[in-house]
Amino acid sequence: MSPVSNCTKYELCCCFFHPQITAEMTDAQRAVSGGPRLGPRAIFLARVFSLLLCPWRGHRPMALGGMFRNAAAIYLHLVGPLQGKKSGASLTRCLHQTLTMAKQLQARRLDRIDYNPWVEFAKLASEEADVVNLGQGFPDFSPPEFAVEAFQHAVSGDFMLNQYTKAFGYPPLTKILASFFGKLLGQEIDPLKNVLVTVGAYGALFTAFQALVDEGDEVIIIEPFFDCYEPMTLMAGGRPVFVSLKPSPTQKGEPDSSSNWQLDPTELASKFTSRTKAFILNTPNNPLGKVFSREELELVASLCQQHDVVCITDEVYQWLVFDGFQHISIASLPGMWERTLTVGSAGKTFSVTGWKVGWVLGPDSLMKHLRTVHQNSIYTCATQGQAAVAQSFEREQLHFGQPSSYFVQFPQYIQRCRDHMIQSLQSVGLRPVIPQGSYFLITDISDFKNKMPDLPGAADEPYDRRFVKWMIKNKGLVAIPMSIFFSVPHQKFFDHYIRFCFAKDESTLRAMDQKLQKWKAELTP
């Protein structure tokens, strides 16, 4: 209830006509430097404004001078410039809008997460002509023909695929996911209880955080991390706890590898406390391209079991593993299925990121809580995309492990793209860290940091962000600064790396070559 409604006529009269209040209004008007002289109506509205802001019932008017002075000054600052303007809106309406917009509109859970680096760097790339975008992680080539045909069939075939499907997943898709991944994980997966289809892997992660992370819960995140893990933790009310992969020294002249980036076992163990609720794993890792070894996963599994912690494992790049390395799902290790949520993505699996079909697999004891979030938010996902993904997996199940399998052919192609990019980047003095998996590699820009340390930008802006902006503008190449994948206190230790995406068409890579060769010529004395 407004303070005005509690006021008697006598109190209102005291407010509007008491000599001290009138004097305070006059002082407030004088305080507006260079402002126009306000008429009686504006003074009246200022008094109303001050009354609405000040719940003063029970106080004598003589004690209210300071409160009215502040409120009136705010009013005069906001409304004074509108005096004498033919804006078509009444002063009363402007006051109403000012009061309305003065409220804090956003929920507190949005604090500190409004910045998104993808928005910033996509905008920078779009503002420059003739740039080669190697920043954002999506393929710019056609998906496999069988996936495109499956989608076309879903759109033009059964007309009921234009309608809602089951809330937790299109039945043929949940069935094939249960069958396909059940064999890989060594589990009997129930398509109704152990599978949830979501709006991409992003949707699976968000649902998991909302379902399991409570106010004050700690969530351990390995750095570098895919940048959504931290804001999703914060939105759920949790507290992110970071532990960094650190590079081991290499011999001079020897190329660095993502396998050299290791967790310190003692430091990792120290991050687990009685408040730890979840551990976030990403293998193969984005942005580093590291594939976690069995030994590393066993250490994580042991700590999760010892401290009764849930593991949320993001395995969207599981089919993109190179150089003979092997992807291992932590849910397949002894004692881990019961406490693991495994997240997957059709976008990364079949090069169809725009379809936005993802999934999460896990025990019913965890999945039932994700279903609660899902049914009260998304409820169901687009049917036709799910039908196309189901048909694509059915095709792959017939070819799995054979030379004709897309999961055999695709990583071979992407590895060739990786090798092409590594050689080209090295030609201009960049030092790539060779990835074992994923779409991405990072490259060391320390030499450039030493040669041109004073690039334009804010004083507190990490060097890699300034370098990427400079490179977009001056070299026509788009990358992503590595520091965005680290917590703020650790960004300064890793601001001499940038990330490139090599899951690109040959024509894109040739355009990159031309940009790099031009850069190389400029470097030559």
Side-chain angles (χ1 to χ4, degrees):
M1 181 176 288
S2 169
V4 176
S5 62
N6 289 331
C7 296
T8 65
K9 292 180 180 179
Y10 172 76
E11 289 171 320
L12 285 170
C13 288
C14 289
C15 166
F16 291 126
F17 301 111
H18 193 281
Q20 181 174 344
I21 302 306
T22 302
E24 297 294 352
M25 293 301 303
T26 304
D27 290 345
Q29 181 178 340
R30 292 195 185 110
V32 181
S33 177
R37 182 162 186 81
L38 303 184
R41 186 163 176 261
I43 294 291
F44 175 84
L45 287 171
R47 288 169 176 155
V48 173
F49 181 76
S50 63
L51 187 63
L52 290 172
L53 289 182
C54 302
W56 56 280
R57 181 175 169 82
H59 295 271
R60 293 184 297 109
M62 291 296 291
L64 296 173
M67 286 193 291
F68 279 103
R69 182 188 302 113
N70 292 339
I74 294 170
Y75 172 84
L76 294 170
H77 177 73
L78 293 173
V79 177
L82 298 176
Q83 293 295 302
K85 292 187 177 181
K86 297 179 180 179
S87 61
S90 71
L91 197 58
T92 308
R93 183 177 176 185
C94 291
L95 173 61
H96 170 75
Q97 292 173 342
T98 300
L99 286 170
T100 301
M101 298 309 293
K103 294 180 179 178
Q104 178 173 315
L105 300 180
Q106 80 277 13
R108 286 192 302 274
R109 61 180 169 272
L110 301 185
D111 292 347
R112 296 188 293 151
I113 65 169
D114 55 334
Y115 171 73
N116 187 296
W118 310 109
V119 174
E120 179 186 8
F121 286 95
K123 181 175 181 294
L124 287 172
S126 67
E127 292 171 348
E128 298 294 331
D130 189 30
V131 298
V132 180
N133 192 344
L134 305 170
Q136 196 171 358
F138 62 87
D140 62 353
F141 46 77
S142 177
E145 188 175 341
F146 65 82
V148 175
E149 290 175 354
F151 195 85
Q152 291 170 339
H153 183 263
V155 171
S156 60
D158 184 357
F159 69 90
M160 285 305 295
L161 293 180
N162 292 290
Q163 308 306 324
Y164 297 129
T165 186
K166 297 288 186 181
F168 306 131
Y170 177 61
L173 178 56
T174 58
K175 182 179 179 181
I176 188 62
L177 290 173
S179 171
F180 195 95
F181 287 97
K183 294 181 178 68
L184 295 176
L185 298 176
Q187 296 291 327
E188 285 290 332
I189 295 182
D190 185 328
L192 299 179
K193 294 182 177 181
N194 305 132
V195 182
L196 175 64
V197 178
T198 59
V199 182
Y202 225 84
L205 290 163
F206 184 79
T207 302
F209 280 93
Q210 289 295 312
L212 301 180
V213 178
D214 213 346
E215 195 77 28
D217 286 344
E218 293 180 351
V219 177
I220 299 175
I221 300 173
I222 298 174
E223 298 179 300
F225 56 87
F226 183 49
D227 68 296
C228 76
Y229 302 154
E230 182 180 13
M232 287 185 182
T233 299
L234 294 170
M235 286 185 73
R239 188 176 80 86
V241 175
F242 300 101
V243 58
S244 295
L245 289 162
K246 298 183 179 70
S248 303
T250 58
Q251 297 293 327
K252 188 174 182 179
E254 179 185 342
D256 196 2
S257 167
S258 59
S259 61
N260 292 335
W261 290 59
Q262 302 283 332
L263 291 169
D264 178 88
T266 303
E267 181 186 13
L268 176 62
S270 73
K271 301 297 181 179
F272 285 80
T273 73
S274 60
R275 296 180 299 277
T276 306
K277 185 66 171 290
F279 184 95
I280 312 304
L281 177 68
N282 178 208
T283 181
N285 173 272
N286 173 14
L288 186 57
K290 176 183 173 65
V291 176
F292 283 78
S293 67
R294 179 177 293 275
E295 182 181 5
E296 290 170 315
L297 295 176
E298 287 174 344
L299 172 61
V300 171
S302 173
L303 290 167
C304 287
Q305 293 176 51
Q306 179 183 338
H307 294 274
D308 194 23
V309 168
V310 173
C311 181
I312 301 173
T313 177
D314 180 351
E315 301 185 4
V316 299
Y317 298 105
Q318 73 175 98
W319 306 110
L320 293 174
V321 179
F322 318 127
D323 302 326
F325 284 88
Q326 181 184 8
H327 169 78
I328 300 170
S329 291
I330 195 169
S332 67
L333 300 184
M336 284 305 291
W337 166 258
E338 294 79 8
R339 62 177 64 253
T340 301
L341 294 172
T342 304
V343 173
S345 162
K348 302 303 192 292
T349 299
F350 296 112
S351 304
V352 288
T353 58
W355 291 9
K356 291 299 290 182
V357 177
W359 57 85
V360 56
L361 313 172
D364 188 50
S365 59
L366 298 177
M367 295 295 292
K368 64 183 180 181
H369 305 302
L370 276 70
R371 291 195 294 269
T372 299
V373 173
H374 184 85
Q375 71 191 16
N376 289 294
S377 55
I378 301 303
Y379 184 71
T380 188
C381 303
T383 308
Q384 293 165 336
Q386 293 187 67
V389 174
Q391 191 172 332
S392 298
F393 265 111
E394 289 165 0
R395 186 264 184 198
E396 270 305 292
Q397 192 166 52
L398 296 174
H399 294 262
F400 190 67
Q402 303 175 31
S404 57
S405 168
Y406 182 69
F407 296 163
V408 172
Q409 296 174 354
F410 187 49
Q412 293 174 349
Y413 170 73
I414 294 298
Q415 182 171 334
R416 291 195 295 272
C417 294
R418 179 203 68 171
D419 295 344
H420 181 149
M421 178 174 282
I422 288 171
Q423 186 175 4
S424 294
L425 293 174
Q426 288 173 334
S427 71
V428 296
L430 294 168
R431 291 183 285 156
V433 177
I434 300 173
Q436 304 157 344
S438 84
Y439 281 175
F440 309 106
L441 61 79
I442 66 169
T443 185
D444 191 330
I445 57 171
S446 296
D447 292 344
F448 289 90
K449 187 176 182 180
N450 293 331
K451 292 175 183 176
M452 45 184 196
D454 299 320
L455 292 176
D460 60 345
E461 187 175 22
Y463 181 81
D464 57 343
R465 299 190 195 194
R466 289 183 282 139
F467 183 86
V468 167
K469 292 175 184 178
W470 170 85
M471 188 172 68
I472 293 171
K473 186 174 183 62
N474 294 279
K475 305 303 175 185
L477 291 169
V478 182
I480 298 295
M482 179 75 158
S483 61
I484 71 166
F485 302 103
F486 284 86
S487 59
V488 172
H490 296 162
Q491 288 179 358
K492 61 180 177 290
F493 301 118
F494 297 93
D495 72 344
H496 55 288
Y497 294 98
I498 59 176
R499 190 198 78 170
F500 289 97
C501 175
F502 51 81
K504 299 298 180 183
D505 187 75
E506 290 181 6
S507 62
T508 304
L509 295 176
R510 286 195 297 271
M512 172 197 71
D513 291 340
Q514 293 175 359
K515 299 283 187 184
L516 290 171
Q517 287 305 309
K518 182 179 178 183
W519 190 354
K520 181 180 179 180
E522 293 169 354
L523 293 171
T524 305

